Amino acid sequence: MGGSTQPEAKTSPTAAAAIAERVSPTTEPTLIPTTASPTTDAPAATTAPVPTTPPATTAPAAPPAPAKLTMPNVKGMNAAVADDKLRKLGFTNIQYGSQDENDTVVLMLPNWTVTKQSAKAGSKMLPDDLIVLTCTKQG
């Protein structure tokens, strides 16, 4: 059995080391970036609010007192008409009561007549003062 017909390839020790270095599994591949990333020396932005000192304020002025309204005489009026008149003057807190034994709840104002009022005619009242109108359903 003769010898081989192909000559044995000889490599230099430095070429073998270079090939082993390129193929070696322990060597980490070097990554080459495809785009340049911007670098800045500025500090990162923070989302924490910046403390501020509120401007010095004085106590707010008290709102002016609401004007007092003059209570009209609504005795003898239809309750719906009396209600309309009082609300147009600016009164906002009006309640109705019945003096009748059989009809104790005032439901439909046009069916009732004012017989008494809690505030005297001519008295000065605030717009939200309670006004109670006593009514009757009997003619």
Side-chain angles (χ1 to χ4, degrees):
M1 304 209 183
S4 120
T5 57
Q6 293 185 349
E8 208 173 294
K10 292 190 178 182
T11 58
S12 70
T14 56
I19 293 172
E21 189 175 302
R22 275 190 259 148
V23 181
S24 170
T26 60
T27 304
E28 293 291 324
T30 303
L31 299 177
I32 301 171
T34 56
T35 59
S37 61
T39 59
T40 61
D41 292 338
T46 60
T47 57
V50 177
T52 59
T53 304
T57 58
T58 58
K68 290 197 173 193
L69 307 172
T70 303
M71 178 67 185
N73 182 9
V74 294
K75 288 181 194 174
M77 287 185 168
N78 177 280
V81 173
D83 182 78
D84 187 51
K85 182 174 186 170
L86 291 172
R87 293 194 188 278
K88 283 183 179 179
L89 288 172
F91 291 104
T92 59
N93 192 6
I94 307 165
Q95 293 184 6
Y96 300 88
S98 172
Q99 70 178 26
D100 296 347
E101 291 180 17
N102 296 330
D103 295 312
T104 57
V105 179
V106 178
L107 293 177
M108 294 185 62
L109 293 180
N111 296 336
W112 296 81
T113 302
V114 178
T115 58
K116 297 178 190 172
Q117 60 189 57
S118 62
K120 292 182 180 181
S123 62
K124 299 288 185 179
M125 303 178 63
L126 293 173
D128 62 346
D129 283 347
L130 176 63
I131 298 171
V132 178
L133 300 181
T134 305
C135 302
T136 183
K137 197 170 185 182
Q138 299 170 1

